[in-house]
């Protein structure tokens, strides 16, 4: 029902910064939350940051103080500003949206992911 377009991934040296974007579109009645997750090779997907419908952010302990999630409601876009990047941040980053669709059903959809690689 929705399309998530992610951008901003790339290669960066340790200590550098990247800004990820997730543009959301489709048949959405109400967005409940938008989050960023990541999955490193050989590991399970984990929560990085989530912003709720009220605008409240939540972060994984490993990124708190370094990453910032924000949104631009006019552009239907959620951002993840990543600073002080570490090699252990290397992963595929996925955008996720939890929402109520036009058919009134509660859904959760994923973007295709964007690669973030941090070199030492």
């Amino acid at each position: 029902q929705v399309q998530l377009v992610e951008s901003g991934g790339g290669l960066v040296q340790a200590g550098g910064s990247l800004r990820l974007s997730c543009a959301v579109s489709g048949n959405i009645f109400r967005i409940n939350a938008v989050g960023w997750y990541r999955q490193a090779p050989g590991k399970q997907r984990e929560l990085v940051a989530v912003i709720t419908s009220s605008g409240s952010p939540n972060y994984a302990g490993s990124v708190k103080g370094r990453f910032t999630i924000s949104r631009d409601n006019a552009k239907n876009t959620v951002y993840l500003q990543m600073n002080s990047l570490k090699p252990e941040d290397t992963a595929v980053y996925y955008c996720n949206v939890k929402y109520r669709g036009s058919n009134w059903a509660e859904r959760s959809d994923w973007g295709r992911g964007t690669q973030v690689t941090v070199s030492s």
Side-chain angles (χ1 to χ4, degrees):
Q1 291 185 339
V2 304
Q3 181 179 1
L4 307 181
V5 180
E6 299 159 307
S7 62
L11 175 64
V12 66
Q13 288 188 311
S17 299
L18 286 173
R19 185 190 187 219
L20 306 183
S21 299
C22 176
V24 183
S25 63
N27 300 121
I28 299 173
F29 177 75
R30 183 184 67 246
I31 294 177
N32 296 321
V34 179
W36 287 97
Y37 295 73
R38 68 187 181 188
Q39 187 168 20
K43 296 184 178 181
Q44 294 186 343
R45 189 171 300 184
E46 65 174 347
L47 171 70
V48 176
V50 171
I51 187 165
T52 66
S53 60
S54 65
S56 299
N58 291 282
Y59 302 94
S62 59
V63 307
K64 194 171 185 178
R66 299 188 297 122
F67 292 9
T68 302
I69 188 170
S70 62
R71 68 185 185 188
D72 186 336
N73 290 335
K75 297 181 179 180
N76 295 320
T77 300
V78 174
Y79 305 95
L80 184 67
Q81 179 67 45
M82 305 185 295
N83 299 325
S84 302
L85 283 163
K86 305 174 181 179
E88 49 263 45
D89 294 319
T90 296
V92 178
Y93 284 71
Y94 298 90
C95 182
N96 173 267
V97 58
K98 296 177 172 59
Y99 65 98
R100 179 181 293 275
S102 297
N103 62 355
W104 311 114
E106 298 286 346
R107 289 180 57 93
S108 178
D109 285 347
W110 295 87
R112 291 180 293 181
T114 182
Q115 177 70 47
V116 172
T117 302
V118 184
S119 62
S120 60

